[in-house]
């Protein structure tokens, strides 16, 4: 464990007094909050890794009197379950983070978009929300939060698709620009952050940017919640400092026979054993929303890829050509190669296709299918054929 | 039919009649009736004054907003990678065996529907299933038998 | 002066207004970027990705239709990377497509086919992912929907929503199952569809087409026992040429008449005749309503709204069933023609009406449905046996092997072949109103409308809703109650605009007396049965041709057409008379709204 640093920021250090951090943040100006966020170097925990402070700053600068804060709790990436845990254990921190953001950007309304699969949590969240609203009223923070439910659509985790869904439409990603900071939910300037990001924001307000920055590396500040699953004796949620090597991670969490780790879920990268040593988990290396799936040598990487492609083929919104048809072709293609109906060289054709998807798809989903496809096919080619 | 219409009226009273009320209303109907009938969708279209095709188009985008009849208890077994690795197939077979239906089907008494679904967010405790809204993690054949038997007795 | 942005496209410096898309910026310097989901009538979708280009400094390609220019952008539209990606995208579309091009109605007029050919895609590159066992929906009298040819560009969906406010079809399901669907995937004849056919003219492929009837017509022509009559709508003559080698906006009236005769129609007549008749009936109906309202204080539905456009009629039947009394009871010119062909005309030429096959050449998809409305049997037979689109007529002429371009002009046959310039302008938005005003004003005042050369310019053009007011002064004694009255009229084209008009009526705030509505943008010249493509530029040229045709006509006003006078003298006796009611007027049906 010596090379891995466990942290207890997200679940820990909870104040007994309800909404204390939020209350004390109210004495700070919008500028002070945003400066603190920028100084912390916090990057979004959903996976894309945009600087949170800058996102808040851009939105704060917009002139529109109506703005929104949206919490993305549509945790659908295979292998990710940390937001569910956060919302179960420390929902107060999430609501606090949203409310602080509301203060920073000048928004009066926040939405939490909770995936339909987590519907069972709604009663508890509503109870906490009532407590939040009581306290917000008490110290005069004019910021209300509403929870909207998803209904089983992975793509709604994509921010503009999520807006569409809240607006009552099909969750189809929009063209960008305009970006959410300019025209997001209901076409108003919007900050949308992941559940974990809002918790980090609260911890930054509590301890200050300097304390937060002590964790992690220059490119990846702070700690991160990791959802560890697959062939591991330690499946579960672990908060770790960013910037570790994958080798260290596997040492801690592997079952001694790890042949590959899928970092970042189905839309992330598959790292084979030979690359564990030179792979850094963080924005300078392989970024992740927290999903770490371990596979040992008993697993067929063909089956793994088949499972991912099956997922994408269903969960693509279907509007753009490369994603809708590309996903079908990749799946149909690997099956055909495996069955011997297509020569192994067809895999090269499919790799080119995945590259086309990466550079032409409308949103992050279609663009990232190539990540797992290429990294699995290139590293485990023989498993694809025989 | 009149019950459905009354339900939709009350949902519209609660969530409003603007387009952004559509999802909560659709969800509210599914919560009560397990699926969206053509009557329900037409009625929602009327309440929100949008085309029925838009209601249908929106509903069918979401896996949980079924537009075909479902049982009182909808079982959704996660089929994504780690649940797949840890025995979702055996769990499904066990349920098929217990309920005497195949995947995708509804029991004759309209009590159960068995479906698969994509990642439920319990990868560390797979296989997992939802019965309506309730998650059941850490499944194996014994545990799933116990759970299903309990629902059968309900 | 608006902010401008300076960029380079393929090395060419370009300065355009901020917010312009890369695609539009490229057009200004004649750089053509291929598109598929883009249509200038519609909002930007950015779905097909065929228009991707390379922007210096960016890893990913950019969809040029959806990306606004940014200062200093260096854009390249034909690099190897771009071409590779486009070829791949087109190959993917082909892999999802029913590639039976040889038997496709849209072959050689298909945007996917053109792209696939241009990029020379290899059909073997990918496995076919075409869904098996897709059935063509032929339930509608007007529109056929073949999902196997759909490229999911959503142009039809945007057309139905944005231009027509109908939303008969929408995108349903997601991922590999995503498709364009009616409510519950019901047959087209079972849903709230007005049959306007705008989805057809905006479809880049053969996924949406008009239901064809010309095979039956060829059969009828070949049957010596049948007397086959065709009447051609005003806007067909200014658009048909586009299918037969002429530039947009060419009038081919005489050649069309000749070709139809050579094809073997026993009689080639003019829908313009019944357009003039519509003006006589509708003009008097309007005066009757106004008289009742203003002279006798009776409660009548005003404004009165035209009823020539069957897409519009079905729209109001679905969307505003409580306001059907505003519709003129006049049948459309097509249906007036049908009921007269099997009565008046049959009598005149001495043919048994049961032997007559009455065909209408129309710019329209909805006319097919209209011909099949069960109440349209005033003659004792189905009044109109088939409505063909301009496109079908084009196909028939091609099939006939005629050298169309070199055919000499011919005149329409008689009876019911004579007409005025007022009738021909029915084909353009505002035309019915203009024609009505030319007659009504004269009936009321005894003088010609006070517009130079009879051109009532305020009602012309492509503005969505047009308004005009005509003050009635020095009226004839019979209309003394109208002295000083300012008649307010409005014209709407495209059902989006019709909805605005109807919402005013619904709210009781409509300031108008008389309204013309046409379902299709631009009026019939932009109809759902017209040659593809149709854009505003094309609409303008067709409209210009319509007005040129009007100006060249010896008679410009409906009430002055000799055959019109004759039919009233010999057959109908008077506008709104007993016979008119029997043959020329109709009633409407309340239909489901959702």
């Amino acid at each position: 464990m010596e090379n891995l640093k466990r942290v207890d920021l997200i679940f820990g250090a909870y104040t007994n007094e309800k909404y204390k951090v939020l209350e004390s943040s109210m004495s700070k100006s919008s500028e002070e909050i945003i400066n603190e966020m920028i100084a912390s170097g916090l990057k979004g925990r959903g996976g894309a890794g945009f600087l949170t402070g800058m996102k808040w700053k851009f939105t704060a600068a917009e002139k529109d009197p109506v703005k929104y804060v949206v919490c993305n709790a549509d945790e659908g990436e295979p292998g990710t379950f940390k937001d569910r845990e956060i919302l179960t254990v420390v929902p107060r921190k999430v609501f606090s983070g949203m409310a602080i953001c509301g203060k920073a950007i000048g928004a009066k309304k926040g939405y939490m978009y909770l995936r339909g699969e987590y519907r069972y949590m709604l009663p508890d969240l509503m109870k906490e929300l009532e407590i939040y609203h009581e306290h917000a009223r008490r110290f005069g923070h004019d910021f209300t939060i509403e929870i909207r439910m998803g209904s089983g659509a992975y793509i709604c985790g994509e921010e503009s698709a999520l807006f569409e869904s809240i607006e009552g439409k099909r969750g189809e990603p929009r063209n960008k620009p305009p970006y959410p900071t300019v025209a997001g939910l209901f076409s108003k300037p919007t900050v949308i952050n992941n559940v974990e990001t809002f918790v980090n924001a609260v911890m930054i307000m509590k301890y200050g940017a300097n304390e937060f920055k002590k964790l992690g590396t220059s490119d990846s500040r702070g700690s991160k919640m990791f959802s560890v699953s697959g062939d591991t004796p330690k499946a579960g949620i672990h908060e770790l400092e960013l910037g570790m090597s994958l080798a260290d991670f596997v040492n801690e969490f592997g079952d001694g026979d790890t042949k590959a780790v899928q970092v970042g879920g189905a839309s992330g990268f598959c790292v084979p054993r030979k690359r564990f040593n030179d792979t850094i988990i963080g924005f300078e290396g392989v970024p992740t929303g927290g999903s770490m799936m371990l596979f040992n040598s008993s697993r067929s990487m063909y089956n793994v890829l088949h499972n991912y492609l099956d997922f994408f083929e269903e969960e693509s919104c279907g509007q753009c050509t490369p994603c809708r048809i590309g996903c079908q072709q990749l799946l149909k293609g690997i099956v055909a190669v495996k069955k011997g109906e297509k020569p192994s060289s067809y895999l090269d054709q499919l790799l080119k296709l995945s590259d086309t998807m990466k550079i032409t798809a409308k949103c992050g989903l279609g663009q990232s299918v190539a990540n797992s496809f290429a990294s699995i096919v290139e590293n485990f080619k023989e498993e694809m054929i025989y | 039919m009149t019950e459905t219409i009354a339900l939709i009226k009350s949902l519209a009273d609660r969530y409003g009649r603007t387009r952004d009320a559509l999802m909560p209303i659709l969800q509210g109907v599914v919560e009560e009736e397990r699926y969206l009938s053509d009557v329900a969708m037409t009625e929602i279209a009327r309440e929100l004054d949008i085309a029925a095709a838009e209601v249908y188009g929106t509903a069918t985008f979401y896996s949980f907003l079924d537009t075909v009849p479902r049982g009182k208890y909808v079982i959704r077994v996660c089929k994504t990678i780690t649940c797949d690795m840890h025995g979702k197939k055996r769990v499904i077979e066990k349920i098929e065996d217990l309920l005497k239906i195949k995947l995708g089907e509804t029991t004759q008494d309209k009590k159960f529907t068995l479906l698969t679904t994509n990642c439920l967010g319990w990868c560390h405790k797979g296989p997992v299933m939802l019965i309506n809204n309730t998650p059941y993690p850490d499944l194996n054949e014994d545990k799933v038998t116990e759970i299903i038997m309990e629902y059968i007795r309900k | 002066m608006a902010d401008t942005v300076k960029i380079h496209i393929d090395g060419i410096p370009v300065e355009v207004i901020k917010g312009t898309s890369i695609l539009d910026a490229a057009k200004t310097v004649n750089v053509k970027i291929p598109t598929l989901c883009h249509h200038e009538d519609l909002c930007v979708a950015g779905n097909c990705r065929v228009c991707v280009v390379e922007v210096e400094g960016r890893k990913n390609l950019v969809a040029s239709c959806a990306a606004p220019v940014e200062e200093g952008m260096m854009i390249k539209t034909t690099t190897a990377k771009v071409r590779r990606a486009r070829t791949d995208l087109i190959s993917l579309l082909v892999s999802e497509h029913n590639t039976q091009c040889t038997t496709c109605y849209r072959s050689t007029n298909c945007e996917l086919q053109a792209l696939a050919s241009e990029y020379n895609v290899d059909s073997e590159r990918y496995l076919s992912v075409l869904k098996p066992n897709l059935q063509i929906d032929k339930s509608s009298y007007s529109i056929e929907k073949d999902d196997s040819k759909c490229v999911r560009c959503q142009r039809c969906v945007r057309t139905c929503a944005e231009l027509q406010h109908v939303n008969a079809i929408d995108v349903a399901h997601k991922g590999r199952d995503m498709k364009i669907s009616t409510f519950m995937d019901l047959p087209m004849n079972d849903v709230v569809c007005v049959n306007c056919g705008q989805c057809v003219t905006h479809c880049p492929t053969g996924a949406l087409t008009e239901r064809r009837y010309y095979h039956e017509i060829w059969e009828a022509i070949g049957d010596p026992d049948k007397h086959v009559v065709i009447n051609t709508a005003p806007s067909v003559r200014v658009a048909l040429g586009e299918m037969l080698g002429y530039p947009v906006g060419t009038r081919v009236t005489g050649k069309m008449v000749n070709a139809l005769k050579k094809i073997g129609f026993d009689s080639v007549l003019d829908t313009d005749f019944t357009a003039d008749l519509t003006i006589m009936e509708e003009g008097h109906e309007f005066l009757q309503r106004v008289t009742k309202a203003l002279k006798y204080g009776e409660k009548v539905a005003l404004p009165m709204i035209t009823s020539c456009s069957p897409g519009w009629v079905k729209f109001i039947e679905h969307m505003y069933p409580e306001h059907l009394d505003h519709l003129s009871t006049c049948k459309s010119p097509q249906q007036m023609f049908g009921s007269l062909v099997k009565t008046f005309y049959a009598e005149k030429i001495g043919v048994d009406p049961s032997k007559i096959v009455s065909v209408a050449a129309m710019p329209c998809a909805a006319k097919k449905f209209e011909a099949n409305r069960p109440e349209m049997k005033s003659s004792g037979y189905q009044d109109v046996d088939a409505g063909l689109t301009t496109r079908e007529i084009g196909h028939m002429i091609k099939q006939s092997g005629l050298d169309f371009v070199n055919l000499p002009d011919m005149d329409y046959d008689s009876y019911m072949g004579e007409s005025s310039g007022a009738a021909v302008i029915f084909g353009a938005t505002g035309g019915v109103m203009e024609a009505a005003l030319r007659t009504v004003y004269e009936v009321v005042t005894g003088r010609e409308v006070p517009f130079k050369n009879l051109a009532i310019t305020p009602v012309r053009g492509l503005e969505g809703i047009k308004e005009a007011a005509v003050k009635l002064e020095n009226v004839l004694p019979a209309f003394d109650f109208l002295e000083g009255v300012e008649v307010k009229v409005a014209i709407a084209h495209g059902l989006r605009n019709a909805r605005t008009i109807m919402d005013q009526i619904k709210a009781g705030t409509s300031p108008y007396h008389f309204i013309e509505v046409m379902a299709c943008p631009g009026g019939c010249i932009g109809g759902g049965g017209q040659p593809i493509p149709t854009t505003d530029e094309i609409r303008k040229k067709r409209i210009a041709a319509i007005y040129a045709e009007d100006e060249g006509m010896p008679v410009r006003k409906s009430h002055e057409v000799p055959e019109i006078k004759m039919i009233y003298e010999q057959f109908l006796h008077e506008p709104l008379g007993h016979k008119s009611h029997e043959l020329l007027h109709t009633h409407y049906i309340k239909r489901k709204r959702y």
Side-chain angles (χ1 to χ4, degrees):
Chain A
M1 195 64 207
E2 66 268 31
N3 293 324
L4 281 190
K5 195 167 159 201
R6 286 191 182 266
V7 187
D8 192 19
L9 209 55
I10 299 284
F11 292 150
Y14 213 164
T15 53
N16 283 329
E17 281 175 273
K18 288 169 184 168
Y19 292 98
K20 194 73 197 158
V21 181
L22 175 59
E23 189 173 2
S24 61
S25 302
M26 289 301 108
S27 61
K28 296 198 170 78
S29 71
S30 154
E31 214 182 344
E32 282 170 327
I33 296 171
I34 289 171
N35 286 342
E36 196 71 16
M37 293 298 294
I38 293 172
S40 75
L42 173 64
K43 288 179 180 177
R45 296 309 196 214
F50 194 80
L51 279 165
T52 306
M54 296 308 286
K55 206 186 252 187
W56 292 20
K57 186 178 174 178
F58 293 150
T59 314
E62 288 293 318
K63 296 278 183 286
D64 201 312
V66 179
K67 296 175 188 177
Y68 296 106
V69 175
V70 176
C71 174
N72 186 344
D74 192 57
E75 182 180 52
E77 188 63 51
T80 316
F81 41 89
K82 47 105 186 164
D83 291 342
R84 185 177 51 71
E85 205 72 13
I86 293 171
L87 288 167
T88 307
V89 182
V90 289
R92 189 166 302 161
K93 289 187 183 177
V94 183
F95 295 142
S96 298
M98 291 174 72
I100 291 168
C101 178
K103 164 94 183 180
I105 67 164
K108 292 188 164 63
K109 173 105 196 197
Y111 286 91
M112 172 179 283
Y113 186 86
L114 183 69
R115 68 189 304 232
E117 289 82 348
Y118 295 170
R119 173 73 174 68
Y120 76 99
M121 296 163 61
L122 191 60
D124 286 346
L125 286 171
M126 294 302 283
K127 256 183 241 159
E128 181 59 38
L129 201 52
E130 213 171 293
I131 299 170
Y132 158 76
H133 281 128
E134 267 168 37
H135 284 271
R137 264 194 304 277
R138 178 173 58 77
F139 47 75
H141 185 31
D142 181 13
F143 183 81
T144 55
I145 297 173
E146 195 179 315
I147 299 176
R148 291 296 184 98
M149 296 301 304
S151 268
Y154 165 76
I155 188 59
C156 289
E158 198 277 344
E159 54 193 20
S160 62
L162 189 153
F163 299 149
E164 291 286 305
S165 186
I166 293 182
E167 291 176 21
K169 295 178 245 166
R170 296 167 54 81
E172 292 177 346
R174 300 173 181 169
N175 289 305
K176 285 175 224 169
Y179 294 98
T181 52
V182 177
L185 183 61
F186 300 114
S187 301
K188 298 293 182 187
T190 303
V191 162
I192 175 163
N193 279 135
N194 175 259
V195 171
E196 186 182 350
T197 312
F198 281 121
V199 178
N200 273 307
V202 176
M203 300 331 281
I204 289 164
M205 294 317 291
K206 183 175 162 77
Y207 296 112
N210 285 332
E211 280 300 308
F212 183 80
K213 271 168 75 174
K214 285 181 185 162
L215 292 168
T217 65
S218 59
D219 275 336
S220 309
R221 297 291 184 197
S223 59
K224 176 87 192 78
M225 297 296 273
F226 285 91
S227 309
V228 181
S229 68
D231 295 315
T232 166
K234 296 180 181 170
I237 289 153
H238 303 271
E239 187 175 1
L240 302 169
E241 190 175 350
L242 281 167
M244 66 194 157
S245 85
L246 190 55
D248 289 337
F249 178 87
V250 171
N251 266 340
E252 172 68 15
F253 293 101
D255 62 359
D257 185 28
T258 308
K259 85 166 168 188
V261 180
Q262 181 79 18
V263 183
S267 66
F269 294 87
C270 182
V271 185
R273 184 184 290 144
K274 61 176 189 263
R275 302 288 309 280
F276 287 173
N277 275 321
D278 54 6
T279 299
I280 301 294
I281 304 304
F283 296 107
E284 62 271 65
V286 183
T288 170
S291 170
M292 304 292 277
M293 292 188 281
L294 294 88
F295 302 110
N296 67 22
S297 58
S298 75
R299 303 295 173 190
S300 153
M301 295 312 286
Y302 169 82
N303 285 350
V304 171
L305 181 58
H306 192 288
N307 189 283
Y308 290 164
L309 291 173
D310 190 53
F311 175 86
F312 284 128
E313 187 193 62
E314 282 178 16
E315 294 295 345
S316 160
C317 81
Q319 65 168 323
C320 86
T321 306
C323 185
R324 178 184 71 253
I325 313 177
C327 290
Q328 295 177 65
Q329 287 295 350
L330 295 181
L331 179 57
K332 205 163 181 169
I334 63 161
V335 171
V337 170
K338 190 81 175 175
K339 283 186 179 164
E341 292 165 2
K342 280 275 182 189
S344 57
S345 61
Y346 191 59
L347 291 172
D348 299 325
Q349 178 79 54
L350 296 178
L351 283 168
K352 283 184 199 154
L353 169 59
S354 73
D355 191 53
T356 298
M357 292 166 70
K358 189 183 203 115
I359 62 174
T360 63
K362 188 169 180 173
C363 81
L365 193 166
Q367 289 164 13
S368 63
V369 173
N371 296 344
S372 54
F373 185 82
S375 59
I376 292 177
V377 168
E378 278 165 358
N379 288 309
F380 299 96
K381 204 162 203 165
E382 58 298 339
E383 290 192 35
M384 298 299 124
I385 302 165
Y386 305 109
Chain B
M1 193 163 144
T2 48
E3 274 171 35
T4 303
I5 292 170
L7 169 66
I8 289 162
K9 280 234 160 13
S10 73
L11 288 166
D13 288 341
R14 180 163 161 207
Y15 296 111
R17 287 172 169 79
T18 51
R19 180 69 192 247
D20 71 310
L22 179 58
M23 286 291 284
I25 293 173
L26 291 171
Q27 288 160 347
V29 174
V30 171
E31 197 67 26
E32 289 298 317
E33 306 193 340
R34 296 287 131 222
Y35 87 110
L36 296 153
S37 62
D38 54 348
V39 172
M41 285 188 278
T42 310
E43 206 48 38
I44 293 169
R46 192 186 318 281
E47 283 295 334
L48 302 191
D49 194 25
I50 56 178
E54 288 181 272
V55 176
Y56 178 73
T58 305
T60 54
F61 187 84
Y62 298 93
S63 314
F64 289 6
L65 300 178
D66 287 307
T67 52
V68 290
R70 298 295 192 209
K72 185 176 173 198
Y73 300 110
V74 181
I75 305 167
R76 295 175 203 272
V77 182
C78 175
K79 63 174 178 174
T80 307
I81 186 69
T82 43
C83 289
D84 185 63
M85 286 160 57
H86 292 129
K88 72 119 213 266
K89 192 162 170 273
R90 286 194 305 278
V91 168
I92 292 170
E93 282 166 1
K94 191 75 217 172
I95 302 172
E96 286 178 331
D97 189 39
L98 288 166
L99 299 176
K100 307 280 180 277
I101 52 170
K102 292 272 163 230
L103 193 61
E105 292 178 350
T106 299
T107 53
Q108 288 223 314
D109 61 1
K110 305 266 186 322
K111 194 163 176 185
F112 294 96
T113 299
L114 176 60
L115 304 170
T116 55
T117 187
N118 285 321
C119 190
L120 288 173
W122 292 84
C123 317
H124 57 322
K125 292 184 175 182
V128 58
M129 67 178 175
L130 282 181
I131 299 184
N132 292 349
N133 295 324
T134 312
Y136 294 91
D138 285 324
L139 295 178
N140 53 41
E141 282 154 288
D142 289 345
K143 193 168 168 192
V144 81
T145 306
E146 205 176 294
I147 295 163
I148 297 293
M149 289 314 287
E150 200 173 306
Y151 272 90
I152 289 175
R153 283 191 293 270
K154 271 192 191 179
Chain C
M1 182 68 193
D3 284 354
T4 61
V5 173
K6 288 186 180 128
I7 56 168
H8 281 76
I9 299 178
D10 294 339
I12 310 165
V14 186
E15 187 170 352
V16 288
I17 293 167
K18 200 177 165 190
T20 306
S21 70
I22 294 175
L23 180 69
D24 287 339
K27 276 183 197 155
T28 67
V29 287
N30 293 321
V31 171
K32 188 181 165 257
I33 299 171
T35 57
L36 186 61
C37 69
H38 185 264
H39 194 291
E40 62 181 68
D41 285 349
L42 308 170
C43 79
V44 168
N47 288 338
C48 74
R49 316 305 282 178
V50 168
C51 70
V52 287
V53 295
E54 207 171 331
V55 176
E56 206 175 273
R58 297 196 193 176
K59 270 194 318 219
N60 290 352
L61 300 179
V62 168
S64 61
C65 69
V69 291
E70 288 168 32
E71 186 63 41
M73 265 184 174
M74 304 292 274
I75 295 154
K76 293 198 172 104
T77 69
T78 51
T79 62
K81 185 176 173 182
V82 167
R83 290 196 60 82
R84 251 193 331 263
R86 281 187 198 151
T87 309
D88 232 4
L89 293 166
I90 298 162
S91 302
L92 288 174
L93 287 164
V94 168
S95 78
E96 194 188 37
H97 198 76
N98 169 359
T99 50
Q100 299 274 320
C101 292
T102 48
T103 55
C104 182
Y105 184 56
R106 283 289 298 274
S107 186
T108 72
N109 183 221
C110 168
E111 294 178 40
L112 180 63
Q113 192 184 46
L115 282 171
S117 157
E118 206 171 300
Y119 280 76
N120 194 20
V121 302
D122 175 4
S123 64
E124 299 292 303
R125 185 190 292 233
Y126 297 116
L127 298 159
S128 171
V129 291
L130 173 65
K131 303 269 178 307
N133 309 320
L134 292 172
Q135 299 293 315
I136 303 172
D137 179 357
K138 294 186 179 187
S139 63
S140 158
Y141 285 117
S142 296
I143 296 165
E144 286 187 8
K145 180 166 173 278
D146 182 354
D147 291 343
S148 74
K149 292 179 182 155
C150 175
V151 292
R152 279 97 166 152
C153 66
Q154 306 187 25
R155 271 162 46 167
C156 54
V157 173
R158 282 176 282 153
T159 299
C160 201
E162 294 167 22
L163 300 182
Q164 303 298 64
H165 275 210
V166 174
N167 298 290
I169 42 177
D170 200 353
V171 186
H173 305 284
K174 67 170 180 277
R176 59 159 185 245
D177 297 323
M178 179 271 218
K179 63 173 290 191
I180 309 305
S181 172
T182 56
F183 174 58
M184 298 289 283
D185 218 359
L186 289 170
M188 290 284 278
N189 70 334
D190 229 13
V191 299
V192 181
C193 165
V194 303
N195 301 311
C196 70
Q198 285 298 312
C199 56
V200 173
T201 54
H202 287 83
C203 179
T205 69
L208 286 158
T209 54
E210 73 271 34
R211 180 160 160 192
R212 275 86 68 195
Y213 294 86
Y214 56 67
H215 295 297
E216 289 91 320
I217 302 310
W218 278 117
E219 289 301 316
I221 288 169
D223 183 343
D225 215 29
K226 300 279 190 220
H227 181 86
V228 189
V229 179
I230 188 166
N231 67 90
T232 70
S235 55
V236 175
R237 66 202 68 184
V238 298
L240 178 66
E242 291 166 37
M243 293 191 68
L244 299 162
Y246 284 98
V248 177
T250 310
R251 289 178 279 153
V252 295
T253 319
K255 290 181 195 301
M256 172 184 71
V257 172
N258 192 343
L260 294 171
K261 288 186 188 184
K262 290 221 161 42
I263 278 173
F265 285 99
D266 295 296
S267 198
V268 180
L269 304 175
D270 201 346
T271 325
D272 289 16
F273 171 79
T274 36
D276 280 325
L277 199 58
T278 300
I279 290 304
M280 297 303 290
E281 293 291 326
E282 199 162 289
H284 282 92
E285 184 188 357
F286 175 64
L287 283 174
Q288 191 183 60
R289 289 195 193 206
V290 170
T291 306
K292 281 183 180 169
L294 297 185
K295 194 171 178 183
Y296 303 112
E298 286 178 38
K299 218 173 132 46
V300 288
L302 281 174
M304 187 179 91
I305 316 176
T306 60
S307 56
C308 328
S309 166
W312 150 243
V313 168
K314 194 156 184 266
F315 179 85
I316 187 173
E317 286 180 327
H318 280 298
M319 307 292 180
Y320 299 90
E322 67 281 18
H323 296 292
L324 290 177
D325 54 351
H326 287 272
L327 273 184
S328 160
T329 59
C330 287
K331 285 182 184 171
S332 70
Q334 166 180 291
Q335 293 308 131
M336 286 193 183
F337 209 100
S339 52
L340 290 175
V341 152
K342 294 189 183 180
T343 52
F344 169 74
Y345 170 89
E347 214 175 287
K348 275 282 176 196
I349 63 161
V351 176
D352 177 355
S354 71
K355 302 258 161 76
I356 293 178
V357 175
S358 147
V359 183
M362 294 286 144
C364 189
K367 290 282 174 196
K368 295 168 183 286
F369 170 83
E370 187 187 30
N372 286 287
R373 287 177 73 119
E375 66 273 23
M376 294 297 179
K377 292 189 171 84
S378 312
S379 62
Y381 306 91
Q382 177 160 330
D383 295 331
V384 177
D385 293 291
L388 302 183
T389 60
T390 308
R391 296 188 292 268
E392 286 171 277
I393 298 295
H395 275 89
M396 286 183 84
I397 293 172
K398 284 181 188 170
Q399 289 166 23
S400 70
L402 291 167
D403 179 10
F404 188 80
V405 176
N406 291 313
L407 286 178
D409 287 354
M410 283 183 82
D411 287 332
Y412 284 100
D413 293 320
S414 191
Y415 299 86
M416 297 166 54
E418 237 175 46
S419 63
S420 75
V424 81
I425 60 175
F426 265 55
T429 166
V432 177
M433 185 57 70
E434 181 166 348
L437 288 174
R438 285 182 193 174
T439 289
V440 169
Y441 189 90
E442 208 164 312
V443 168
V444 172
T445 66
R447 304 183 306 275
E448 280 195 342
V449 278
F451 286 90
K452 193 184 164 198
N453 197 22
L454 295 177
I456 308 178
T457 46
V459 303
R460 297 185 178 186
L462 281 179
E463 203 186 321
I465 295 176
K466 293 164 283 185
E467 292 178 305
V470 182
K471 195 158 191 179
L472 300 172
E473 282 168 318
N474 301 320
V475 297
L476 295 172
F479 296 101
D480 56 356
F481 61 95
L482 287 174
E483 182 63 34
V485 169
E486 195 174 48
V487 177
K488 290 192 176 126
V489 303
I491 295 98
H493 59 112
L495 294 171
R496 166 185 53 187
N497 297 313
R499 194 181 276 282
T500 307
I501 290 283
M502 285 313 296
D503 284 342
Q504 284 178 344
I505 291 176
K506 201 173 169 179
T509 59
S510 180
Y512 311 113
H513 297 96
F514 193 9
I515 300 171
E516 175 204 300
V517 178
M518 291 293 156
C520 293
C524 302
I525 52 90
Q530 292 284 59
I532 301 169
T534 298
T535 62
D536 268 353
E537 199 189 327
I538 292 169
R539 289 185 186 98
K540 281 178 193 156
K541 287 180 178 167
R542 291 179 190 157
I543 287 173
I546 285 267
Y547 289 117
E549 186 92 351
D550 167 35
E551 277 183 32
M553 298 287 281
V555 180
R556 306 279 307 285
K557 293 173 283 190
S558 301
H559 55 279
E560 291 177 354
V561 176
E563 273 198 353
I564 291 287
K565 291 182 183 167
M566 181 268 283
I567 198 171
Y568 277 111
E569 277 160 23
Q570 298 184 4
F571 186 72
L572 295 168
H573 309 305
E574 56 172 341
L576 309 180
H578 174 70
K579 202 118 201 189
S580 290
H581 269 289
E582 205 173 278
L583 294 174
L584 308 181
H585 291 258
T586 186
H587 60 275
Y588 305 103
I589 298 158
K590 289 185 178 182
R591 296 179 193 271
K592 65 177 176 187
R593 169 75 182 84
Y594 300 98

